Amino acid sequence: QYLNDDPTVAGGILRLAFHDAATRECDESGTSYTGGPNGSIKYEVGWSENRGIARPLRVVQSIYDNTGVNDMGLSFADCIALAGAESVEFAGGPRISIKLGRLDSSEADAKKRRNVLQGSTDRSLVDTTLPSAGLDSDGLRLYFGALGLSEKEFVALSGAHDLGRHVTLLDMPKSCLKDLTRECLENAP
């Protein structure tokens, strides 16, 4: 019903689900993980990578609080994952089965990666658990590769998680237009 009432929120909810899950990081042994789909996104709203996430978060929080989902024993993290899958289907994508049983975090996930990744350029430095808007193609490959995604999968996800969202260059300072730095992209109007 929430998506029928405001279809423009579908892309934001999908982005919310991705940003909640994508902070997952494996240790060097490959056996232990930190972060991930645990509802911690509600503590990470102020991160520059999460700009614009507050509105879809309010929608999912309202679903969680007002539909009896929490009375059924589902975690807030499960609610985020289910809402993300529903957004994909609502937008004409495939039905995605969601395994339940996530545990809710009581704090933000780590913003800085334990295992920093670096490609061949300055803009390929991956030192945060969410991708920076200023990453170049090498940095994006490194980031999404660390999540186990192929190039084809990360291109599809990058396009899909911005469904219905845009950044305008109309009010961007000319100095930023001449040199699209990480700071300019993250602070775009």
Side-chain angles (χ1 to χ4, degrees), residues 91-174:
R95 175 175 282 269
I96 300 171
S97 297
I98 300 294
K99 293 182 181 181
L100 303 177
R102 290 164 187 78
L103 299 176
D104 285 335
S105 178
S106 59
E107 62 187 13
D109 286 336
K111 184 170 181 167
K112 292 291 186 181
R113 289 182 57 88
R114 293 182 300 178
N115 304 310
V116 173
L117 307 171
Q118 176 72 58
S120 60
T121 68
D122 290 342
R123 291 187 51 211
S124 64
L125 175 66
V126 180
D127 61 353
T128 57
T129 55
L130 287 175
S132 165
L135 286 176
D136 64 12
S137 59
D138 286 343
L140 289 170
R141 284 183 186 92
L142 287 169
Y143 176 81
F144 287 101
L147 293 177
L149 299 177
S150 69
E151 285 187 29
K152 183 178 179 180
E153 291 167 328
F154 95 68
V155 168
L157 181 61
S158 294
H161 94 275
D162 280 342
L163 179 71
R165 186 174 160 259
H166 76 283
V167 172
T168 180
L169 300 178
L170 295 177
D171 294 324
M172 189 175 280
K174 286 183 183 179

Side-chain angles (χ1 to χ4, degrees), residues 11-12 14-23 41 43-54 56 108-113 125-135 140 143-144 158 161-162 165 167 182-188:
L14 177 56
R15 184 169 173 257
L16 174 77
F18 170 74
H19 281 224
D20 188 45
T23 57
I41 189 76
Y43 307 108
E44 301 156 6
V45 175
W47 294 6
S48 61
E49 298 88 352
N50 289 330
R51 189 172 62 94
I53 213 96
D109 286 336
K111 184 170 181 167
K112 292 291 186 181
R113 289 182 57 88
L125 175 66
V126 180
D127 61 353
T128 57
T129 55
L130 287 175
S132 165
L135 286 176
L140 289 170
Y143 176 81
F144 287 101
S158 294
H161 94 275
D162 280 342
R165 186 174 160 259
V167 172
R182 178 182 298 201
E183 181 180 346
C184 287
L185 290 170
E186 289 175 352
N187 294 319

